[in-house]
Amino acid sequence: MDRLPPLTALRAFEAAARHMSFAKAADELSVTPAALSFQIKSLEETLGQPLFVRLNRAVELTEAGRALFPGTQNGFDALRRAWRNVRQMGDATRLTVTAGPSLTAKWLAPRLFAFAQAHPDVELRFSATLRILDFERDEIDVALRYGYGPDPGLHYQPLMHDWFTPMMTPEMAADYGSLETVQNAVLLHEDDISFLNPPINWDVWFRAAGLGPAPRGGPRFNQSDHAIDAALSGGGIVLGRSAFAAKALREGRLVSPFEVALTTDAHFRLLCPIGADQRPPVRAFLDWIMAEAADLDDLRSGHRFVTAGEVA
């Protein structure tokens, strides 16, 4: 007889098999481990054979469990996709975008008024996080990510390559605006770019500028926008990112007096599910943000660009 068991029991099994943990599956489904275990036990009784081998602190799939898991996982994935697609059809004006906190605070947020004016029918929502969100599970339409990729199975558009050069207030530049004096200044460090390879940091910039070793010490920040804010307050010199400091540079609140700027192959990119780029609100946002990114070019004047990998 091909009648399916209760959907809640299959869902409990799929989550437990995916996590290989009853506790993690219960947490995901917002039920107690005992309730989840009861659902799986009832499924095993209906099937007439065990699906898991219960160990002291872990579980393993039996042969029957291994046979059942791919079908249930694919089935729930298909259900989630279908449900999301239908919800999008009924809410064609909502657009959810995820980006890093620094990019959101320093680059996106100051520009959103222009998008809202041009597209008053689009309800724009942001999730500012460094966590890589899942398009389906987290109901994300567009992601702005920084790094190298690759991003298989997604629609991809390069957005912008930012660059790094010392930035400071005009008042600090009066004292530390020359290569002879910069070594005496407080240097601000950004730890959220520590994953870059080749690295970009003060040691690399000092070598590219023909100076000796970078001085040790100086405050460290886990987000670049916090380092920019510290520089704006006069707390030191930041190896600033062009995208995050663009507004402050144009307004004259920060200056970048040195010629040498560092570049990297890492870049900001726009991602969305394949085909989603043709949805009207997504297409409107992609076109708008690509035009906004183009205006960073004027800040390149006066700099000599050195790729981090070229610095010995």
Side-chain angles (χ1 to χ4, degrees), residues 98-114:
T98 181
S102 295
L103 184 68
T104 301
K106 295 298 183 185
W107 193 78
L108 275 174
R111 300 164 183 267
L112 288 180
F113 180 69

Side-chain angles (χ1 to χ4, degrees), residues 157-180:
Q157 286 181 220
L159 179 62
M160 57 186 171
H161 285 76
D162 61 345
W163 37 272
F164 304 72
T165 195
M167 299 176 188
M168 64 193 86
T169 62
E171 293 78 14
M172 284 202 70
D175 295 323
Y176 304 106
S178 67
L179 292 177
E180 294 75 23

Side-chain angles (χ1 to χ4, degrees), residues 30-259:
S30 299
V31 299
T32 64
L36 182 124
S37 181
F38 175 80
Q39 290 288 346
I40 293 173
K41 189 67 176 176
S42 67
L43 190 64
E44 291 174 324
E45 290 175 354
T46 300
L47 189 62
Q49 54 186 310
L51 296 168
F52 291 96
V53 177
R54 278 79 165 171
L55 305 174
N56 285 338
R57 296 188 177 180
V59 293
E60 292 179 358
L61 287 170
T62 64
E63 183 178 357
R66 290 193 296 271
L68 182 61
F69 177 53
T72 54
Q73 185 176 43
N74 292 338
F76 280 107
D77 285 345
L79 277 172
R80 279 188 285 265
R81 284 194 297 271
W83 181 250
R84 184 171 186 269
N85 290 338
V86 171
R87 288 187 63 184
Q88 287 178 338
M89 290 170 60
D91 191 7
T93 63
R94 180 179 297 176
L95 182 68
T96 303
V97 178
T98 181
S102 295
L103 184 68
T104 301
K106 295 298 183 185
W107 193 78
L108 275 174
R111 300 164 183 267
L112 288 180
F113 180 69
F115 180 83
Q117 279 192 314
H119 303 280
D121 56 324
V122 176
E123 180 188 341
L124 192 59
R125 300 183 176 190
F126 269 92
S127 178
T129 177
L130 292 176
R131 187 166 60 90
I132 301 300
L133 299 183
D134 182 88
F135 285 95
E136 293 183 5
R137 183 187 64 244
D138 299 306
E139 298 188 350
I140 299 298
D141 297 299
V142 178
L144 283 71
R145 293 178 183 162
Y146 180 75
Y148 303 98
D151 303 287
L154 295 173
H155 172 81
Y156 157 86
Q157 286 181 220
L159 179 62
M160 57 186 171
H161 285 76
D162 61 345
W163 37 272
F164 304 72
T165 195
M167 299 176 188
M168 64 193 86
T169 62
E171 293 78 14
M172 284 202 70
D175 295 323
Y176 304 106
S178 67
L179 292 177
E180 294 75 23
T181 57
V182 67
Q183 300 179 78
N184 301 319
V186 174
L187 304 182
L188 309 175
H189 303 265
E190 302 148 288
D191 289 338
D192 59 348
I193 57 171
S194 61
F195 71 93
L196 293 176
N197 186 22
I200 286 185
N201 52 43
W202 278 113
D203 287 327
V204 176
W205 186 85
F206 266 67
R207 291 200 301 273
L211 300 173
R216 300 295 95 186
R220 311 195 70 90
F221 299 87
N222 67 349
Q223 291 187 188
S224 292
D225 59 321
H226 296 170
I228 294 286
D229 288 339
L232 282 165
S233 72
I237 302 176
V238 64
L239 192 58
R241 301 175 67 169
S242 57
F244 299 165
K247 189 173 186 291
L249 289 170
R250 289 198 179 93
E251 293 172 351
R253 294 183 293 130
L254 288 178
V255 296
S256 55
F258 301 115
E259 180 186 35

